Amino acid sequence: MKLAFSDFDGTLCIDNVVSEENLRAIRLWQATGNKFGIATGRGYTAILPEMERHHIPIDFLVCANGSAVYTKEGRLLMASAMPQDSVRAFLHSPHATQYTGGWLFFTTDQACAKNGAQMLPPEYFRPLDSLEEAAELPHLLQMGMEFPSQEETIAAFAAMDADFPHTFAGNINRRFLDINVYGTSKDNGILHLAELLDVPETDIFAIGDDRNDLPMIRRFGAHGCCVRRAQPAVREAAGHVYDSVGDMLLDNLA
């Protein structure tokens, strides 16, 4: 049995479309005894509706940049929440109080937003009135912020990391900053699942398109792939570059 994981936004789903060619390839991959999952920066309740809407036949979901792993039935297999005292300290710091953009907060079982939902459907989120509410959320996996450009996003996390060393991970996708517990990345969630399933690392495939996919792309070497539309730095890091997720799956069936 092999495991394959794809990023969702910009990799499997492009311009709000998941192609029928990709769906057929996923079903063929599974029909030969392999497992397929999504590795996303979204939380569970913000990605599950997309699986249902696009009829994507998943086996597993690695959510919030590897902070949590779920079965297709929604059973939580692993979660790495941020310590609540660290969250409170950050949300009371100038990094948060002087920020005026939209916030997203993902826990193991809910999605919340303050000041908008960062381009995701607002119906997926429970609105929050204050950061104090966010600081009290139980099992908080991820805090999301949005900046005008990717360069400003990178700089913003560098400043946060200087004030909160070895506390948070900054997973960056386009101009969005996903803040997770230190050490979190998509490959760690995938490897946790692989250990549960007794699948060796050499039988894991991953494909993505942006900076938050780089850890899993680099980790899986020749099996760390990207789509051709990925950013140049991602293409450079990838073991293989494919036109689509389906092409990666079909190329590795044997």
Side-chain angles (χ1 to χ4, degrees):
M1 182 178 69
K2 301 174 185 176
L3 287 178
F5 277 88
S6 172
D7 171 55
F8 183 70
D9 296 291
T11 301
L12 182 63
C13 184
I14 299 171
D15 297 329
N16 208 31
V17 173
V18 177
S19 72
E20 184 56 41
E21 290 80 5
N22 278 335
L23 293 175
R24 281 198 297 267
I26 294 170
R27 289 191 289 266
L28 182 57
W29 175 263
Q30 293 168 320
T32 55
N34 302 312
K35 302 296 184 183
F36 177 81
I38 298 293
T40 179
R42 300 195 195 195
Y44 179 76
T45 55
I47 191 63
L48 186 62
E50 303 289 356
M51 302 300 100
E52 296 169 346
R53 183 162 67 93
H54 295 288
H55 306 290
I56 302 170
I58 54 159
D59 295 295
F60 299 100
L61 287 168
V62 171
C63 297
N65 292 295
S67 294
V69 180
Y70 301 81
T71 67
K72 63 181 177 182
E73 296 84 11
R75 183 163 61 94
L76 181 64
L77 299 177
M78 180 276 284
S80 297
M82 292 179 283
Q84 206 159 35
D85 57 346
S86 298
V87 171
R88 289 194 189 101
F90 173 75
L91 292 177
H92 284 97
S93 76
H95 301 288
T97 59
Q98 295 178 11
Y99 169 73
T100 59
W103 289 91
L104 299 183
F105 299 94
F106 294 126
T107 74
T108 53
D109 60 2
Q110 62 178 315
C112 302
K114 183 180 180 295
N115 297 341
Q118 295 183 301
M119 298 175 62
L120 296 179
E123 61 269 23
Y124 293 175
F125 297 88
R126 176 171 71 86
L128 300 179
D129 294 325
S130 69
L131 292 182
E132 292 295 334
E133 284 186 81
E136 299 306 315
L137 289 171
H139 312 299
L140 183 61
L141 303 173
Q142 182 167 293
M143 301 179 284
M145 306 170 78
E146 179 181 3
F147 295 89
S149 68
Q150 188 168 93
E151 291 72 24
E152 290 170 90
T153 307
I154 295 169
F157 180 70
M160 295 173 197
D161 193 43
D163 289 342
F164 295 90
H166 304 294
T167 304
F168 300 113
N171 286 292
I172 296 169
N173 179 26
R174 298 174 178 83
R175 64 179 187 277
F176 303 108
L177 171 61
D178 295 333
I179 303 169
N180 309 97
V181 71
Y182 184 73
T184 298
S185 56
K186 291 183 178 183
D187 57 307
N188 288 332
I190 293 171
L191 287 169
H192 181 89
L193 176 64
E195 184 176 354
L196 292 178
L197 299 176
D198 198 27
V199 175
E201 190 169 329
T202 51
D203 286 336
I204 301 173
F205 297 79
I207 187 166
D209 76 310
D210 214 321
R211 286 181 64 96
N212 65 334
D213 299 313
L214 279 171
M216 69 177 182
I217 288 172
R218 289 173 173 150
R219 181 61 180 258
F220 300 123
H223 294 172
C225 311
C226 75
V227 289
R228 200 168 303 280
R229 67 191 303 275
Q231 294 185 355
V234 179
R235 292 199 305 271
E236 183 177 337
H240 284 86
V241 178
Y242 289 101
D243 288 332
S244 69
V245 175
D247 284 349
M248 181 194 75
L249 297 176
L250 296 176
D251 193 38
N252 292 284
L253 281 175

Coordinates of all heavy atoms in Angstrom, one line a residue, residues 138-225:
P138 N -10.7 26.2 23.0 CA -10.1 24.9 23.4 C -9.5 24.2 22.2 O -10.0 24.3 21.1 CB -11.2 24.1 24.1 CG -12.4 24.6 23.4 CD -12.2 26.0 23.1
H139 N -8.3 23.6 22.4 CA -7.7 22.7 21.4 C -7.4 23.6 20.1 O -7.7 23.1 19.0 CB -8.5 21.5 21.1 CG -9.0 20.8 22.3 ND1 -8.2 20.2 23.2 CD2 -10.3 20.5 22.7 CE1 -8.9 19.6 24.1 NE2 -10.2 19.8 23.9
L140 N -6.8 24.7 20.3 CA -6.6 25.6 19.2 C -5.3 25.1 18.4 O -4.2 25.0 19.0 CB -6.3 27.1 19.7 CG -6.1 28.1 18.6 CD1 -7.3 28.2 17.6 CD2 -5.8 29.5 19.2
L141 N -5.5 24.8 17.1 CA -4.5 24.3 16.3 C -3.8 25.4 15.5 O -2.6 25.2 15.2 CB -5.1 23.3 15.3 CG -5.8 22.1 15.9 CD1 -6.5 21.3 14.7 CD2 -4.9 21.2 16.7
Q142 N -4.5 26.4 15.1 CA -3.9 27.3 14.1 C -4.6 28.7 14.2 O -5.8 28.8 14.4 CB -4.1 26.8 12.7 CG -3.5 27.6 11.6 CD -3.5 26.8 10.3 OE1 -2.8 25.9 10.2 NE2 -4.3 27.3 9.3
M143 N -3.8 29.7 14.1 CA -4.2 31.1 14.0 C -3.8 31.6 12.6 O -2.6 31.4 12.2 CB -3.6 32.0 15.1 CG -4.0 31.6 16.5 SD -3.2 32.7 17.7 CE -1.5 32.1 17.7
G144 N -4.7 32.2 11.8 CA -4.4 32.6 10.5 C -4.5 34.1 10.3 O -5.4 34.8 10.8
M145 N -3.5 34.7 9.7 CA -3.4 36.2 9.4 C -3.2 36.4 7.9 O -2.6 35.5 7.2 CB -2.3 36.8 10.2 CG -2.4 36.5 11.7 SD -1.0 37.1 12.7 CE -1.3 38.9 12.8
E146 N -3.5 37.6 7.5 CA -3.3 37.9 6.0 C -2.6 39.2 5.9 O -2.9 40.2 6.6 CB -4.7 38.0 5.3 CG -4.6 38.4 3.9 CD -6.0 38.5 3.2 OE1 -7.0 38.4 3.9 OE2 -6.0 38.8 2.0
F147 N -1.6 39.3 5.0 CA -0.8 40.5 4.8 C -0.9 40.9 3.3 O -1.3 40.1 2.5 CB 0.6 40.2 5.3 CG 0.7 40.0 6.7 CD1 0.6 38.7 7.3 CD2 0.9 41.1 7.6 CE1 0.7 38.5 8.6 CE2 1.0 40.8 9.0 CZ 0.9 39.6 9.5
P148 N -0.4 42.1 3.0 CA -0.6 42.5 1.6 C 0.3 41.7 0.6 O -0.1 41.7 -0.6 CB -0.1 44.0 1.6 CG -0.3 44.4 3.0 CD -0.1 43.2 3.9
S149 N 1.4 41.1 1.0 CA 2.2 40.4 0.0 C 2.9 39.3 0.8 O 3.0 39.3 2.0 CB 3.3 41.3 -0.6 OG 4.2 41.7 0.4
Q150 N 3.5 38.3 0.0 CA 4.2 37.2 0.7 C 5.4 37.7 1.4 O 5.8 37.2 2.5 CB 4.5 36.1 -0.3 CG 5.1 34.9 0.3 CD 5.2 33.7 -0.6 OE1 6.2 33.5 -1.2 NE2 4.1 32.9 -0.7
E151 N 6.1 38.7 0.8 CA 7.3 39.3 1.4 C 7.0 39.8 2.8 O 7.7 39.7 3.8 CB 7.9 40.3 0.5 CG 8.5 39.8 -0.7 CD 7.5 39.3 -1.8 OE1 6.3 39.8 -1.7 OE2 7.8 38.5 -2.6
E152 N 5.8 40.6 2.9 CA 5.4 41.1 4.2 C 5.0 40.0 5.2 O 5.2 40.2 6.4 CB 4.3 42.1 4.0 CG 4.8 43.4 3.3 CD 3.6 44.3 2.9 OE1 3.2 45.1 3.7 OE2 3.1 44.1 1.7
T153 N 4.4 38.9 4.6 CA 4.1 37.8 5.5 C 5.3 37.2 6.1 O 5.3 36.9 7.3 CB 3.3 36.8 4.7 OG1 2.2 37.4 4.0 CG2 2.7 35.7 5.6
I154 N 6.3 37.0 5.3 CA 7.6 36.4 5.8 C 8.2 37.3 6.8 O 8.7 36.8 7.9 CB 8.5 36.2 4.6 CG1 8.0 35.1 3.6 CG2 9.9 35.8 5.1 CD1 8.7 35.0 2.3
A155 N 8.2 38.6 6.6 CA 8.8 39.5 7.5 C 8.0 39.6 8.8 O 8.6 39.7 9.9 CB 8.8 40.9 6.9
A156 N 6.7 39.5 8.7 CA 5.8 39.5 9.9 C 6.1 38.3 10.8 O 6.2 38.4 12.0 CB 4.4 39.5 9.5
F157 N 6.3 37.1 10.2 CA 6.6 36.0 11.0 C 8.0 36.0 11.6 O 8.2 35.6 12.8 CB 6.4 34.6 10.3 CG 6.7 33.5 11.2 CD1 5.8 33.2 12.3 CD2 7.8 32.7 11.1 CE1 6.1 32.1 13.1 CE2 8.1 31.7 11.9 CZ 7.2 31.4 13.0
A158 N 8.9 36.5 10.9 CA 10.3 36.7 11.4 C 10.3 37.5 12.7 O 11.0 37.2 13.7 CB 11.2 37.3 10.4
A159 N 9.5 38.6 12.7 CA 9.4 39.5 13.9 C 8.7 38.7 15.0 O 9.1 38.8 16.2 CB 8.6 40.7 13.5
M160 N 7.7 38.0 14.7 CA 7.0 37.2 15.7 C 7.9 36.2 16.3 O 8.0 35.9 17.6 CB 5.8 36.5 15.2 CG 4.7 37.3 14.7 SD 3.4 36.3 13.8 CE 2.5 37.6 12.9
D161 N 8.7 35.5 15.5 CA 9.6 34.4 15.9 C 10.7 35.0 16.8 O 11.1 34.3 17.8 CB 10.1 33.7 14.7 CG 10.8 32.4 15.0 OD1 10.3 31.6 15.9 OD2 11.9 32.1 14.5
A162 N 11.1 36.2 16.5 CA 12.1 36.8 17.4 C 11.6 37.1 18.8 O 12.4 36.9 19.8 CB 12.6 38.1 16.7
D163 N 10.3 37.4 18.9 CA 9.8 37.7 20.2 C 9.2 36.4 20.9 O 9.1 36.4 22.2 CB 8.6 38.7 20.1 CG 9.1 40.1 19.8 OD1 10.3 40.3 20.0 OD2 8.3 40.9 19.3
F164 N 8.9 35.4 20.1 CA 8.4 34.1 20.7 C 9.2 33.0 20.1 O 8.7 32.1 19.4 CB 6.9 34.0 20.3 CG 6.0 35.0 21.0 CD1 5.7 36.2 20.3 CD2 5.5 34.7 22.2 CE1 4.9 37.1 20.9 CE2 4.6 35.7 22.8 CZ 4.3 36.9 22.1
P165 N 10.5 32.9 20.5 CA 11.4 31.8 19.9 C 10.9 30.4 20.3 O 10.5 30.2 21.4 CB 12.8 32.2 20.4 CG 12.5 32.9 21.7 CD 11.3 33.7 21.4
H166 N 11.0 29.5 19.4 CA 10.7 28.1 19.6 C 9.3 27.9 20.2 O 9.1 27.0 21.0 CB 11.8 27.5 20.5 CG 13.1 27.6 20.0 ND1 13.6 27.0 18.9 CD2 14.2 28.3 20.5 CE1 14.8 27.3 18.6 NE2 15.3 28.1 19.6
T167 N 8.4 28.8 19.8 CA 7.0 28.7 20.3 C 6.0 28.4 19.2 O 5.1 27.6 19.4 CB 6.6 30.1 21.0 OG1 7.6 30.4 22.0 CG2 5.2 30.0 21.6
F168 N 6.2 29.1 18.1 CA 5.2 28.9 17.0 C 6.0 28.5 15.7 O 7.1 28.9 15.5 CB 4.5 30.2 16.7 CG 3.7 30.7 17.9 CD1 4.0 31.9 18.6 CD2 2.6 30.0 18.4 CE1 3.3 32.3 19.6 CE2 1.8 30.4 19.5 CZ 2.2 31.6 20.1
A169 N 5.2 27.8 14.8 CA 5.7 27.6 13.4 C 4.9 28.6 12.6 O 3.7 28.8 12.8 CB 5.4 26.1 13.0
G170 N 5.5 29.1 11.6 CA 4.9 30.0 10.6 C 4.8 29.3 9.3 O 5.8 29.2 8.5
N171 N 3.6 28.8 8.9 CA 3.4 28.1 7.6 C 2.8 29.1 6.7 O 1.7 29.6 6.9 CB 2.5 26.9 7.8 CG 3.3 25.7 8.4 OD1 4.2 25.2 7.8 ND2 2.9 25.4 9.7
I172 N 3.5 29.5 5.6 CA 3.1 30.6 4.7 C 2.7 30.1 3.4 O 3.3 29.2 2.8 CB 4.3 31.5 4.6 CG1 4.7 32.2 5.9 CG2 4.0 32.6 3.5 CD1 6.0 32.9 5.9
N173 N 1.5 30.5 3.0 CA 0.9 30.2 1.7 C 0.4 31.5 1.1 O -0.5 32.1 1.6 CB -0.3 29.2 2.0 CG -1.0 28.8 0.7 OD1 -0.4 28.8 -0.4 ND2 -2.3 28.5 0.8
R174 N 1.1 31.8 -0.1 CA 0.8 33.1 -0.7 C 1.1 34.2 0.3 O 2.1 34.3 0.8 CB -0.5 33.1 -1.4 CG -0.7 32.0 -2.5 CD -2.1 31.9 -3.0 NE -2.2 30.9 -4.1 CZ -2.3 29.6 -3.8 NH1 -2.4 29.1 -2.6 NH2 -2.3 28.7 -4.8
R175 N 0.1 35.0 0.5 CA 0.2 36.1 1.5 C -0.4 35.8 2.9 O -0.6 36.7 3.7 CB -0.3 37.4 0.9 CG -1.8 37.4 0.7 CD -2.3 38.8 0.2 NE -3.7 38.9 0.1 CZ -4.5 38.4 -0.8 NH1 -3.9 37.8 -1.8 NH2 -5.8 38.5 -0.8
F176 N -0.7 34.6 3.1 CA -1.4 34.2 4.3 C -0.4 33.5 5.3 O 0.4 32.7 4.9 CB -2.5 33.2 4.1 CG -3.5 33.8 3.1 CD1 -3.7 33.3 1.8 CD2 -4.4 34.8 3.5 CE1 -4.6 33.9 0.9 CE2 -5.3 35.4 2.7 CZ -5.4 34.9 1.4
L177 N -0.5 33.8 6.6 CA 0.4 33.3 7.6 C -0.4 32.4 8.5 O -1.4 32.9 9.1 CB 1.1 34.4 8.4 CG 1.8 33.9 9.7 CD1 3.0 33.0 9.3 CD2 2.3 35.1 10.4
D178 N -0.1 31.1 8.5 CA -0.8 30.2 9.4 C 0.2 29.9 10.6 O 1.3 29.4 10.4 CB -1.1 28.8 8.7 CG -2.1 29.0 7.6 OD1 -2.9 29.9 7.7 OD2 -2.1 28.2 6.7
I179 N -0.2 30.2 11.8 CA 0.6 30.1 13.0 C 0.2 28.8 13.7 O -1.0 28.7 14.1 CB 0.4 31.3 13.9 CG1 0.8 32.6 13.1 CG2 1.3 31.1 15.1 CD1 0.4 33.8 13.9
N180 N 1.1 27.9 13.9 CA 0.9 26.6 14.5 C 1.8 26.4 15.7 O 2.8 27.2 15.8 CB 1.0 25.5 13.5 CG 0.2 25.6 12.3 OD1 0.7 26.1 11.3 ND2 -1.1 25.3 12.3
V181 N 1.7 25.4 16.4 CA 2.7 25.1 17.5 C 4.0 24.8 16.8 O 4.1 24.3 15.7 CB 2.2 23.9 18.3 CG1 2.3 22.6 17.6 CG2 3.0 23.8 19.6
Y182 N 5.1 25.2 17.5 CA 6.5 25.0 17.0 C 6.7 23.6 16.5 O 6.4 22.6 17.2 CB 7.4 25.4 18.1 CG 8.9 25.4 17.7 CD1 9.4 26.4 16.8 CD2 9.7 24.4 18.1 CE1 10.7 26.3 16.4 CE2 11.1 24.3 17.7 CZ 11.6 25.3 16.9 OH 12.9 25.3 16.5
G183 N 7.3 23.5 15.3 CA 7.7 22.2 14.7 C 6.6 21.6 13.8 O 6.8 20.5 13.3
T184 N 5.5 22.3 13.7 CA 4.4 21.8 12.9 C 4.6 22.0 11.4 O 5.0 23.1 11.0 CB 3.1 22.4 13.3 OG1 2.8 22.1 14.6 CG2 1.9 21.9 12.4
S185 N 4.4 21.0 10.6 CA 4.4 21.1 9.1 C 3.7 19.9 8.6 O 3.4 18.9 9.3 CB 5.9 21.1 8.6 OG 6.6 20.0 9.0
K186 N 3.3 20.0 7.3 CA 2.4 18.9 6.7 C 3.1 17.6 6.8 O 2.4 16.5 7.0 CB 2.1 19.3 5.3 CG 1.1 20.5 5.2 CD 0.8 20.8 3.7 CE -0.2 21.9 3.6 NZ -0.6 22.2 2.2
D187 N 4.4 17.5 6.6 CA 5.0 16.2 6.5 C 5.0 15.5 7.9 O 4.9 14.2 7.9 CB 6.5 16.3 6.1 CG 7.3 17.3 7.0 OD1 6.9 18.4 7.1 OD2 8.4 16.9 7.4
N188 N 5.0 16.2 9.0 CA 4.9 15.6 10.3 C 3.6 14.9 10.5 O 3.5 13.8 11.0 CB 5.2 16.6 11.4 CG 6.6 17.0 11.4 OD1 7.5 16.3 11.1 ND2 6.9 18.2 11.9
G189 N 2.5 15.6 10.0 CA 1.2 14.9 10.1 C 1.1 13.7 9.3 O 0.5 12.6 9.7
I190 N 1.6 13.7 8.1 CA 1.6 12.6 7.2 C 2.4 11.4 7.8 O 2.0 10.3 7.7 CB 2.2 13.0 5.8 CG1 1.2 14.0 5.1 CG2 2.4 11.8 4.9 CD1 1.8 14.6 3.8
L191 N 3.6 11.7 8.3 CA 4.4 10.7 8.9 C 3.8 10.1 10.1 O 4.0 8.9 10.4 CB 5.8 11.3 9.2 CG 6.7 11.5 8.0 CD1 7.9 12.3 8.4 CD2 7.1 10.3 7.3
H192 N 3.1 10.8 10.9 CA 2.4 10.3 12.0 C 1.3 9.2 11.5 O 1.2 8.1 12.1 CB 1.6 11.3 12.8 CG 0.9 10.8 14.0 ND1 1.5 10.7 15.3 CD2 -0.4 10.4 14.1 CE1 0.6 10.2 16.1 NE2 -0.5 10.0 15.5
L193 N 0.6 9.6 10.5 CA -0.4 8.6 9.9 C 0.4 7.4 9.4 O -0.1 6.3 9.6 CB -1.2 9.3 8.8 CG -2.2 8.4 8.1 CD1 -3.2 7.9 9.0 CD2 -2.8 9.2 6.9
A194 N 1.4 7.6 8.6 CA 2.2 6.5 8.0 C 2.6 5.5 9.1 O 2.6 4.3 8.9 CB 3.4 7.0 7.2
E195 N 3.0 6.0 10.3 CA 3.5 5.2 11.4 C 2.3 4.3 11.9 O 2.4 3.1 12.1 CB 4.1 6.0 12.5 CG 4.6 5.2 13.6 CD 5.3 6.0 14.7 OE1 5.4 7.2 14.5 OE2 5.7 5.4 15.7
L196 N 1.1 5.0 12.0 CA -0.1 4.2 12.4 C -0.4 3.1 11.4 O -0.9 2.0 11.8 CB -1.2 5.2 12.6 CG -1.2 6.2 13.7 CD1 -2.4 7.1 13.7 CD2 -1.1 5.5 15.1
L197 N -0.2 3.4 10.1 CA -0.6 2.4 9.1 C 0.5 1.5 8.8 O 0.3 0.6 7.9 CB -1.0 3.2 7.8 CG -2.3 4.1 8.0 CD1 -2.5 4.9 6.7 CD2 -3.5 3.3 8.4
D198 N 1.7 1.7 9.4 CA 2.9 0.9 9.1 C 3.3 1.0 7.6 O 3.6 0.0 7.0 CB 2.6 -0.6 9.5 CG 3.9 -1.4 9.6 OD1 5.0 -0.7 9.9 OD2 3.9 -2.6 9.4
V199 N 3.2 2.2 7.1 CA 3.7 2.4 5.7 C 5.1 3.1 5.7 O 5.2 4.1 6.4 CB 2.7 3.4 5.0 CG1 3.2 3.7 3.6 CG2 1.3 2.7 4.9
P200 N 6.1 2.5 5.1 CA 7.4 3.1 5.1 C 7.4 4.5 4.4 O 6.6 4.7 3.5 CB 8.3 2.1 4.4 CG 7.3 1.3 3.5 CD 6.0 1.3 4.3
E201 N 8.4 5.3 4.8 CA 8.5 6.6 4.2 C 8.7 6.6 2.7 O 8.3 7.5 1.9 CB 9.6 7.4 4.9 CG 9.7 8.9 4.5 CD 10.6 9.6 5.4 OE1 10.8 9.3 6.6 OE2 11.2 10.6 4.9
T202 N 9.3 5.5 2.2 CA 9.6 5.4 0.8 C 8.4 5.1 0.0 O 8.4 5.2 -1.3 CB 10.6 4.2 0.6 OG1 10.1 3.0 1.2 CG2 12.0 4.6 1.1
D203 N 7.2 4.8 0.6 CA 6.0 4.6 -0.1 C 5.0 5.7 0.1 O 3.8 5.6 -0.1 CB 5.3 3.3 0.4 CG 6.0 2.0 -0.2 OD1 6.7 2.2 -1.2 OD2 5.9 1.0 0.4
I204 N 5.5 6.9 0.4 CA 4.7 8.1 0.6 C 5.0 9.1 -0.6 O 6.2 9.3 -0.9 CB 5.0 8.8 1.9 CG1 4.7 7.8 3.1 CG2 4.2 10.1 2.1 CD1 5.2 8.4 4.4
F205 N 3.9 9.6 -1.1 CA 4.0 10.6 -2.2 C 3.3 11.9 -1.8 O 2.2 11.8 -1.1 CB 3.4 10.1 -3.5 CG 4.1 8.9 -4.1 CD1 3.9 7.6 -3.5 CD2 5.0 9.0 -5.1 CE1 4.6 6.5 -4.0 CE2 5.7 7.9 -5.6 CZ 5.4 6.6 -5.1
A206 N 3.8 13.0 -2.1 CA 3.1 14.3 -1.7 C 3.3 15.3 -2.9 O 4.3 15.3 -3.6 CB 3.7 14.8 -0.5
I207 N 2.3 16.1 -3.0 CA 2.4 17.1 -4.1 C 1.7 18.4 -3.6 O 0.7 18.4 -2.9 CB 1.7 16.6 -5.4 CG1 1.9 17.6 -6.6 CG2 0.2 16.3 -5.2 CD1 1.5 17.0 -7.9
G208 N 2.3 19.6 -4.0 CA 1.8 20.9 -3.6 C 2.2 22.0 -4.5 O 2.7 21.7 -5.7
D209 N 2.1 23.2 -4.1 CA 2.3 24.3 -5.0 C 2.9 25.6 -4.3 O 3.4 26.5 -5.0 CB 1.1 24.7 -5.7 CG 0.1 25.5 -4.9 OD1 -0.2 25.1 -3.7 OD2 -0.3 26.6 -5.3
D210 N 3.0 25.6 -3.0 CA 3.4 26.9 -2.3 C 4.3 26.6 -1.1 O 4.6 25.4 -0.8 CB 2.2 27.7 -1.9 CG 2.4 29.2 -2.0 OD1 3.5 29.6 -1.7 OD2 1.4 29.9 -2.4
R211 N 4.7 27.7 -0.5 CA 5.7 27.6 0.6 C 5.4 26.6 1.7 O 6.2 25.9 2.2 CB 6.0 29.0 1.2 CG 6.7 29.9 0.3 CD 6.9 31.2 1.0 NE 7.7 31.1 2.2 CZ 9.1 31.3 2.3 NH1 9.7 31.7 1.2 NH2 9.7 31.2 3.4
N212 N 4.1 26.6 2.1 CA 3.7 25.6 3.2 C 3.8 24.2 2.8 O 3.6 23.3 3.6 CB 2.4 26.0 3.8 CG 1.2 25.8 2.9 OD1 1.4 25.9 1.6 ND2 0.0 25.6 3.4
D213 N 4.0 23.9 1.5 CA 4.1 22.6 1.0 C 5.6 22.1 1.0 O 5.9 21.0 0.8 CB 3.5 22.4 -0.4 CG 2.1 22.7 -0.4 OD1 1.3 22.2 0.4 OD2 1.6 23.5 -1.3
L214 N 6.5 23.1 1.1 CA 7.9 22.8 1.0 C 8.4 21.7 2.0 O 9.2 20.8 1.5 CB 8.8 24.1 1.1 CG 8.8 24.9 -0.2 CD1 9.5 26.3 0.1 CD2 9.6 24.2 -1.3
P215 N 8.0 21.7 3.2 CA 8.5 20.7 4.1 C 8.2 19.3 3.7 O 9.1 18.4 3.7 CB 7.8 21.0 5.5 CG 7.6 22.5 5.4 CD 7.3 22.8 4.0
M216 N 7.0 19.1 3.2 CA 6.6 17.7 2.7 C 7.3 17.4 1.4 O 7.7 16.2 1.1 CB 5.1 17.5 2.7 CG 4.4 18.2 1.6 SD 2.6 17.7 1.7 CE 2.0 18.7 0.3
I217 N 7.5 18.4 0.6 CA 8.1 18.1 -0.7 C 9.6 17.8 -0.5 O 10.1 16.8 -1.1 CB 8.0 19.4 -1.6 CG1 6.5 19.5 -2.1 CG2 9.0 19.3 -2.8 CD1 6.3 20.8 -2.9
R218 N 10.2 18.5 0.4 CA 11.6 18.2 0.6 C 11.8 16.9 1.4 O 12.7 16.1 1.2 CB 12.3 19.3 1.4 CG 12.4 20.6 0.6 CD 12.9 21.8 1.5 NE 13.2 22.9 0.6 CZ 13.1 24.2 1.0 NH1 12.6 24.5 2.3 NH2 13.4 25.2 0.2
R219 N 10.9 16.6 2.3 CA 11.0 15.4 3.2 C 10.9 14.1 2.4 O 11.7 13.2 2.6 CB 9.9 15.4 4.2 CG 9.9 14.2 5.2 CD 11.2 14.2 6.0 NE 11.3 13.1 6.9 CZ 11.0 13.2 8.2 NH1 10.7 14.4 8.8 NH2 11.1 12.2 9.0
F220 N 10.1 14.1 1.3 CA 9.9 12.9 0.6 C 10.7 12.7 -0.7 O 10.5 11.9 -1.5 CB 8.4 12.7 0.3 CG 7.6 12.7 1.6 CD1 6.5 13.6 1.8 CD2 7.9 11.7 2.6 CE1 5.8 13.5 3.0 CE2 7.2 11.7 3.8 CZ 6.1 12.6 4.0
G221 N 11.7 13.6 -0.8 CA 12.7 13.5 -1.8 C 12.1 13.3 -3.3 O 11.4 14.2 -3.7
A222 N 12.5 12.2 -3.9 CA 12.0 12.0 -5.3 C 10.5 11.9 -5.3 O 9.9 12.1 -6.4 CB 12.7 10.7 -5.9
H223 N 9.9 11.5 -4.2 CA 8.4 11.4 -4.1 C 7.8 12.7 -3.6 O 6.6 12.8 -3.4 CB 8.0 10.3 -3.2 CG 8.4 8.9 -3.7 ND1 8.3 7.8 -3.0 CD2 8.9 8.5 -4.9 CE1 8.7 6.8 -3.7 NE2 9.1 7.2 -4.8
G224 N 8.6 13.8 -3.4 CA 8.0 15.1 -3.1 C 7.9 15.9 -4.4 O 8.9 16.3 -5.0
C225 N 6.6 16.1 -4.8 CA 6.3 16.7 -6.1 C 5.6 18.0 -6.0 O 5.1 18.4 -4.9 CB 5.5 15.7 -6.9 SG 6.1 14.0 -6.8

